Amino acid sequence: NAGVTQTPKFQVLKTGQSMTLQCAQDMNHNSMYWYRQDPGMGLRLIYYSASEGTTDKGEVPNGYNVSRLNKREFSLRLESAAPSQTSVYFCASSEGDSRYSGNTIYFGEGSWLTVV
Amino acid sequence: AQSVAQPEDQVNVAEGNPLTVKCTYSVSGNPYLFWYVQYPNRGLQFLLKYITGDNLVKGSYGFEAEFNKSQTSFHLKKPSALVSDSALYFCAVRGPGNNRLAFGKGNQVVVIP
């Protein structure tokens, strides 16, 4: 069972470079999310997509853009990387629109990004 | 606003002893509550959730959690800890009508052989 798959697993960028984190889920989920995890801060939501064709900002959207390419795929782009974006990034998905239910969010294995 | 507090940075427990990881929450309305576990260099794995109904929720790997509305708590428990339970544990809450899941900062659990 693949679940949520994200690539790359590890990446080192120089300040100012751009890159895209790819994410795909095979659970036919409607909602997808991008989180970042920093020590002592838990997980913070960057962007989410409640359904195909829609995206919304989370807590920390600055410096990021997203694309919901289709129902399966949700990519995160760093246009001009900064050292403050050094973090672990997690893609996640949930069945349906979770606003009105207790749908569980399922996570990918993470992408470790270092910006030097 | 919705938020979660996990007051202890690290919980140390001897193997075989009961394990408790504390979580309190703040949300408007009835909460949806979740526990996740994260092993080193891995993603978050879902353990259990409370939606409605019985206040005691049973989940994966022998874990359970008790919802206490009056104390706004959702503590995670395991009767007998294993060394393999050593990991980072996250509590999360979502309020009704809210698509965002608010996470606590996480608790590092260390089970001592």
Side-chain angles (χ1 to χ4, degrees):
Chain A
N1 294 330
V4 180
T5 303
Q6 52 183 113
T7 57
K9 181 84 171 179
F10 300 98
Q11 183 72 48
V12 179
L13 284 178
K14 293 182 179 179
T15 298
Q17 285 185 319
S18 63
M19 78 159 296
T20 299
L21 298 176
Q22 306 287 353
C23 176
Q25 51 90 10
D26 63 1
M27 296 177 282
N28 201 35
H29 285 171
N30 286 319
S31 298
M32 296 186 73
Y33 312 80
W34 277 105
Y35 287 87
R36 59 177 288 172
Q37 181 182 23
D38 301 290
M41 301 189 74
L43 276 79
R44 293 180 292 170
L45 183 65
I46 305 171
Y47 270 94
Y48 69 99
S49 171
S51 61
E52 186 178 356
T54 68
T55 60
D56 288 286
K57 294 179 180 180
E59 302 170 67
V60 289
N62 291 345
Y64 305 96
N65 285 303
V66 291
S67 296
R68 184 72 183 268
L69 305 171
N70 48 55
K71 189 173 185 179
R72 290 186 65 248
E73 298 173 288
F74 187 41
S75 62
L76 177 72
R77 183 163 179 82
L78 287 69
E79 291 291 352
S80 179
S84 62
Q85 293 178 305
T86 294
S87 188
V88 184
Y89 292 85
F90 289 99
C91 180
S93 70
S94 67
E95 178 181 326
D97 184 341
S98 58
R99 283 176 291 182
Y100 304 106
S101 70
N103 284 334
T104 300
I105 294 180
Y106 295 94
F107 287 82
E109 289 292 293
S111 296
W112 274 253
L113 176 64
T114 301
V115 183
V116 298
Chain B
Q2 50 187 27
S3 64
V4 168
Q6 295 183 246
E8 300 163 312
D9 289 337
Q10 183 163 314
V11 175
N12 296 325
V13 61
E15 186 176 24
N17 281 3
L19 169 63
T20 298
V21 188
K22 296 180 180 178
C23 170
T24 58
Y25 66 90
S26 175
V27 72
S28 297
N30 293 322
Y32 303 126
L33 292 154
F34 301 80
W35 274 102
Y36 288 84
V37 60
Q38 184 181 29
Y39 298 101
N41 300 318
R42 301 294 301 277
L44 277 70
Q45 296 180 31
F46 169 71
L47 277 179
L48 51 80
K49 68 181 178 183
Y50 171 81
I51 305 301
T52 186
D54 194 345
N55 289 345
L56 185 63
V57 179
K58 294 187 182 297
S60 306
Y61 311 122
F63 284 94
E64 60 187 28
E66 185 166 12
F67 170 62
N68 187 318
K69 189 172 184 177
S70 63
Q71 297 184 4
T72 61
S73 67
F74 189 56
H75 301 331
L76 181 70
K77 299 179 181 181
K78 186 171 184 180
S80 179
L82 301 172
V83 173
S84 57
D85 293 328
S86 297
L88 190 56
Y89 290 80
F90 289 96
C91 181
V93 68
R94 182 194 298 127
N98 196 323
N99 199 21
R100 304 180 184 187
L101 196 60
F103 283 86
K105 294 182 179 181
N107 276 125
Q108 184 66 50
V109 169
V110 177
V111 181
I112 303 163

